[in-house]
Amino acid sequence: MEELTPRERLKIALDHKEPDRVPIDFGGLQSGIHINAYKKLVSYLGMKLRARILDINQQIVEIDEDILKRFKVDNRYIYFNEHNPDGIKVEKKGEEEFYRDIRGIVWRKPKDGYYFDLYYSPLRNAKLEDLEKYRWCRIYDSARFNGISEKVKFLYNNTDYALVANFQGILEGSWELRGIEKFFMDVAVNKKFVETLIDKVLETKKKIYGKFLDIVGSFLSLVKISDDLGTQTGLLFSPDFYRRIVKPRHRELVRFIKSKTEAKIAIHTDGAIMPILDDLIEAGFEVINPVQISTYGMSSKKLKEDFGNKISFWGAIDTQKILSFGTPGEVEEEVKKMIENLAPKGGYILASCHNIQAEVRPENICAMFEAAIKYGKYKK
């Protein structure tokens, strides 16, 4: 088969057809790399590159173009996220670091910590009537859109890469404002508050994402919404809560995004989500990321057999054990296995199962991408 452009390759794969090879992803907020691991990778490759922080909370970097080309990555990200570091003022108190984001949430990085953790949530002690008083409009800051139009047009017109956008979802946006412990207490005993809070977040997200998509929607191949729903052993809440409260609002968000772009819509959710995978499909999601096959019931082979004709898979290369603690040979075998299980008839984008963490060895990172090219070619 004639070699396709990256944009063509991704489209064909997401249409559940076989392109020339499996598309490869590296970057963004869920297939990215921690700054510590990135510095080691750059040194290992003998390069001298910059390391601009993309997401201050996760300490994820914006990957240099030379690295992306070296690993034959098919997509490029149009960055707009909830924790954009530009203009953030980090204060040091003793041996810890703190910053306050545009929503009024305070984040803390402990001594020797790898990440900024949620420290203070502005709606933690709020009552139902207080939700009307919160200044939702301050999230809608036009400065966050500066330069996006020029960047997306340049990439679309001057490269052949598929363009991908990252959005935060409505659940994560809600529990960060409320505090995750308090939010899940509300799920049990204060459902009216939960529904009202999620609706307020949904309304605000639609305003923000609507403006963003008015600028970039016609250029995008894929939009990813991040809303974690699972844990290592099961869901964060009951399937009934998802179906009654979250699913209708997910459907509304997907429909809104679809009204502004022809891009495929992915949901990023960690964990053992098999019990609601059909619901996610019914809500309108067309791609699932990161396919955390190390969690309960998430067999890559069974996922493909049961859902391969209804949804595409994005990720799946295990970061918990294989990339973090395996050998390059074990990484290669993992990649080969995931391609064998998930790639037939298309519908698979190869990437790490979530971000590459701080201590991952560069040899393993290189082994993953080299194996993706070695085993990812479709036979015609």
Side-chain angles (χ1 to χ4, degrees):
M1 177 186 286
E2 182 180 347
E3 185 174 358
L4 300 169
T5 69
R7 200 173 296 158
E8 292 169 335
R9 183 176 297 121
L10 188 72
K11 183 181 187 308
I12 292 170
L14 294 182
D15 284 339
H16 296 273
K17 300 174 184 177
E18 293 186 353
D20 53 344
R21 66 165 173 81
V22 172
I24 297 170
D25 169 49
F26 186 30
L29 305 181
Q30 287 91 30
S31 301
I33 183 169
H34 190 280
I35 188 169
N36 290 17
Y38 190 64
K39 287 179 177 178
K40 288 184 287 187
L41 175 64
V42 168
S43 176
Y44 177 78
L45 294 174
M47 297 181 173
K48 291 184 179 180
L49 303 174
R50 61 189 176 89
R52 175 183 175 268
I53 291 289
L54 169 65
D55 183 323
I56 188 170
N57 287 355
Q58 301 181 92
Q59 294 288 285
I60 301 303
V61 298
E62 186 172 5
I63 300 167
D64 290 272
E65 183 65 20
D66 287 348
I67 296 284
L68 297 174
K69 287 180 178 178
R70 184 185 185 103
F71 292 143
K72 301 187 185 301
V73 176
D74 290 287
N75 59 282
R76 300 293 184 268
Y77 284 89
I78 306 300
Y79 294 116
F80 171 80
N81 59 81
E82 300 298 323
H83 308 295
N84 193 315
D86 295 339
I88 286 177
K89 183 180 179 182
V90 176
E91 296 182 359
K92 195 158 187 177
K93 297 180 181 179
E95 295 182 322
E96 298 181 320
E97 295 177 77
F98 296 82
Y99 82 92
R100 184 185 299 271
D101 71 19
I102 197 169
R103 299 168 293 175
I105 298 171
V106 178
W107 302 85
R108 175 182 65 177
K109 187 170 181 283
K111 178 188 176 184
D112 300 325
Y114 287 141
Y115 320 100
F116 278 83
D117 303 317
L118 184 62
Y119 180 71
Y120 167 78
S121 300
L123 297 179
R124 177 172 177 78
N125 297 316
K127 298 177 181 178
L128 184 61
E129 58 270 23
D130 295 326
L131 294 180
E132 295 297 331
K133 303 173 187 176
Y134 178 72
R135 293 189 295 133
W136 298 96
C137 60
R138 68 180 169 188
I139 300 176
Y140 189 62
D141 181 356
S142 61
R144 304 168 78 189
F145 303 93
N146 290 344
I148 291 176
S149 178
E150 294 81 2
K151 178 177 180 179
V152 72
K153 288 177 182 177
F154 176 84
L155 286 172
Y156 190 86
N157 293 323
N158 295 279
T159 78
D160 53 15
Y161 298 116
L163 303 183
V164 181
N166 274 133
F167 292 160
Q168 187 188 49
I170 53 176
L171 278 179
E172 291 186 5
S174 296
W175 70 51
E176 287 179 357
L177 286 166
R178 182 65 161 165
I180 193 163
E181 298 92 344
K182 198 70 175 286
F183 180 85
F184 280 98
M185 289 174 64
D186 293 333
V187 168
V189 300
N190 198 0
K191 289 184 172 59
K192 179 62 176 176
F193 186 95
V194 167
E195 291 190 65
T196 305
L197 174 59
I198 294 174
D199 283 338
K200 287 288 187 182
V201 170
L202 174 59
E203 178 185 347
T204 305
K205 297 292 186 187
K206 285 168 67 176
K207 289 180 180 178
I208 299 169
Y209 301 158
K211 180 173 181 178
F212 180 86
L213 290 169
D214 285 341
I215 300 170
V216 308
S218 61
F219 304 103
L220 296 177
S221 297
L222 189 61
V223 172
K224 186 196 300 179
I225 299 169
S226 178
D227 245 348
D228 281 333
L229 305 170
T231 71
Q232 200 70 20
T233 56
L235 297 172
L236 283 166
F237 30 66
S238 71
D240 180 65
F241 175 80
Y242 180 79
R243 290 166 187 149
R244 288 189 304 104
I245 307 299
V246 184
K247 183 177 175 180
R249 293 162 173 91
H250 268 165
R251 184 184 286 116
E252 181 179 345
L253 182 58
V254 169
R255 285 176 178 170
F256 175 77
I257 293 171
K258 279 290 190 181
S259 73
K260 292 181 174 290
T261 180
E262 295 181 1
K264 300 287 187 182
I265 311 297
I267 183 165
H268 164 84
T269 170
D270 298 326
I273 58 164
M274 188 73 85
I276 58 167
L277 196 45
D278 271 324
D279 296 286
L280 294 171
I281 294 166
E282 290 172 6
F285 294 110
E286 299 159 293
V287 186
I288 187 76
N289 167 273
V291 196
Q292 195 175 358
I293 48 89
S294 60
T295 61
Y296 179 76
M298 294 289 285
S299 157
S300 58
K301 192 170 184 179
K302 184 168 177 57
L303 283 168
K304 186 70 173 183
E305 289 173 354
D306 293 351
F307 299 97
N309 64 336
K310 296 186 283 187
I311 199 165
S312 295
F313 304 102
W314 175 5
I317 307 304
D318 178 51
T319 54
Q320 288 183 299
K321 296 178 181 178
I322 302 297
L323 274 177
S324 295
F325 305 110
T327 64
E330 289 170 329
V331 172
E332 180 178 351
E333 286 302 310
E334 176 79 357
V335 171
K336 182 181 179 182
K337 177 183 176 182
M338 291 304 109
I339 290 174
E340 289 174 349
N341 289 351
L342 294 173
K345 298 183 180 180
Y348 180 48
I349 303 171
L350 188 143
S352 59
C353 177
H354 219 307
N355 295 317
I356 294 171
Q357 297 302 307
E359 298 303 323
V360 174
R361 294 183 298 156
E363 293 90 339
N364 284 1
I365 299 170
C366 293
M368 177 177 70
F369 291 111
E370 289 165 3
I373 296 298
K374 180 178 180 180
Y375 299 107
K377 294 181 178 66
Y378 285 98
K379 296 177 182 179
K380 294 292 181 180

